[in-house]
Amino acid sequence: MSFRTAGIHHVTGIASNPQRNLDFYAGILGLRLVKRTVNFDDPTTYHFYFGNENGSPGSILTFFPWPDARRGRQGGGQVAVTSFSILPSSVGFWIERLIKKRVEFEQPAARYDDERVIAFKDHEGFMGELVAHPDVSMQGGWSAAGVPAEHSIRGLYSITLWLDANELTGQLLTNTFGFELVREQGSIFRYASGNGRPGTIVDLRCVPGIWAGVMGAGTVHHVAFRSANEAEQLRVRSELSSLGYNVTPQLDRDYFKSIYFREPGGVLFEIATDGPGFAVDEPVDALGQSLKLPDWLEPRRFEIEALLPNIRIPLELRGPNA
Ligand code: ZN
């Protein structure tokens, strides 16, 4: 094994209405819109990136808001639950906020010795959790939309895959990605890479005979794991190929380089480089404020802007200096 991922890089979900997606993740959860661009494979639709103050790898949740997307359904072969990190002192703030914003959620529950978990769903059924843990970083807070930096979501905490069988996925995580099995409780197998801190955790929930997930609005499209650089990414690519996986070539996503393949449980995995990051085409202060296009689409900007749905970005989302 030559690779030890630093953890989750981003999670990408599917949404329908772009405005409602923005209003929920930036307006209610208070994430920073760190990039507003288009789906490189379909430039008439948006690709939104949400994250922490600087849009660090590991803090990123992205969405393809496809206006015509039908509602999907969580099931086997999917990342069913996406969990976000908050500080233990923020649990009360979030309960109050979710009530006020009429978000569907469950009362906080203790998990293992050290997690307090608030499970919620967005308006399309996307399943999320706010996980309070003492190891969540104090850094990276973003203050906007009525969420003060101290209580803000710091990034991804973990993901939970629902699988019909977990063995092969577990082997891939340990043998090729550098994860370790750190806990086994009932049908849930917890893997962690590196130090096991927030952002490095993958839970495999094994439910034999589970119905298959249906891709659509409210579900996760894929999860990306971090690679330190392109050379490492290419080494993992050849290792995966030699194991028989059908891996894409290295693709340039402007903010990182990516490779994709489907893991044995059916989930689409990506490996994304940490660099160059979201400040490569606009200053950190202005992240997300204007529509960014890759160079090869710039000549079509006028046409693309005319085809994209209109969205309104409230001033309160622009942060403390707006
Ligand atoms: Zn991705």
Side-chain angles (χ1 to χ4, degrees):
M1 182 194 72
S2 52
F3 181 45
R4 182 178 278 266
T5 179
I8 304 163
H9 185 285
H10 65 264
V11 169
T12 292
I14 301 169
S16 56
N17 185 309
Q19 185 70 55
R20 291 196 68 192
N21 182 252
L22 194 64
D23 289 346
F24 187 87
Y25 289 95
I28 295 178
L29 292 191
L31 294 171
R32 184 174 190 189
L33 178 66
V34 294
K35 195 62 65 181
R36 182 151 53 100
T37 183
V38 294
N39 183 336
F40 290 6
D41 302 318
D42 175 10
T44 65
T45 60
Y46 284 113
H47 192 179
F48 294 153
Y49 290 81
F50 301 97
N52 66 3
E53 183 185 23
N54 302 312
S56 327
S59 76
I60 304 296
L61 173 69
T62 98
F63 277 96
F64 298 134
W66 292 327
D68 300 329
R70 288 201 189 182
R71 185 71 77 87
R73 182 182 65 174
Q74 282 86 8
Q78 282 186 344
V79 174
V81 186
T82 304
S83 306
F84 302 89
S85 298
I86 58 171
L87 295 176
S89 52
S90 299
V91 171
F93 171 87
W94 280 104
I95 292 169
E96 210 171 291
R97 184 163 177 94
L98 295 177
I99 292 171
K100 204 167 110 197
K101 300 290 184 181
R102 298 189 180 165
V103 176
E104 190 184 336
F105 75 99
E106 285 167 28
Q107 287 305 315
R111 188 163 60 194
Y112 306 128
D113 315 323
D114 46 9
E115 294 176 0
R116 285 194 79 204
V117 181
I118 308 172
F120 67 88
K121 281 185 184 172
D122 81 0
H123 51 281
E124 302 197 280
F126 187 95
M127 291 165 64
E129 290 177 342
L130 299 176
V131 180
H133 190 281
D135 287 347
V136 169
S137 168
M138 305 287 283
Q139 311 301 317
W142 170 249
S143 164
V147 180
E150 55 172 316
H151 291 313
S152 65
I153 289 172
R154 298 303 204 276
L156 295 166
Y157 183 85
S158 64
I159 50 168
T160 304
L161 276 59
W162 287 0
L163 299 169
D164 187 50
N166 59 293
E167 290 80 7
L168 294 176
T169 305
Q171 280 170 25
L172 173 71
L173 290 177
T174 48
N175 296 345
T176 311
F177 279 67
F179 281 83
E180 281 170 49
L181 179 63
V182 292
R183 207 189 276 268
E184 213 180 308
Q185 190 159 315
S187 61
I188 299 177
F189 300 80
R190 171 163 289 195
Y191 291 81
S193 68
N195 50 21
R197 290 175 66 89
T200 68
I201 299 166
V202 175
D203 284 331
L204 304 185
R205 184 170 178 191
C206 177
V207 190
I210 190 175
W211 59 89
V214 178
M215 184 88 79
T219 65
V220 169
H221 187 269
H222 64 266
V223 57
F225 296 95
R226 294 173 62 181
S227 171
N229 55 55
E230 286 183 43
E232 179 186 74
Q233 184 185 52
L234 288 173
R235 278 201 306 276
V236 188
R237 186 182 182 281
S238 52
E239 186 174 336
L240 287 164
S241 298
S242 72
L243 290 168
Y245 290 103
N246 189 6
V247 193
T248 66
Q250 193 180 57
L251 298 168
D252 188 355
R253 297 315 195 187
D254 271 19
Y255 312 105
F256 41 83
K257 296 271 171 54
S258 297
I259 58 172
Y260 304 82
F261 70 100
R262 209 165 281 282
E263 59 82 34
V267 182
L268 186 60
F269 274 11
E270 172 183 351
I271 297 173
T273 54
D274 277 358
F278 295 100
V280 72
D281 61 355
E282 58 188 340
V284 170
D285 284 354
L287 287 177
Q289 291 184 14
S290 50
L291 179 74
K292 289 294 169 188
L293 296 175
D295 287 343
W296 53 276
L297 285 174
E298 255 328 315
R300 293 175 56 199
R301 175 174 283 271
F302 184 78
E303 173 205 344
I304 288 169
E305 285 184 346
L307 289 169
L308 285 169
N310 276 323
I311 51 164
R312 193 181 57 87
I313 301 184
L315 207 56
E316 58 164 14
L317 302 188
R318 293 195 174 185
N321 306 318

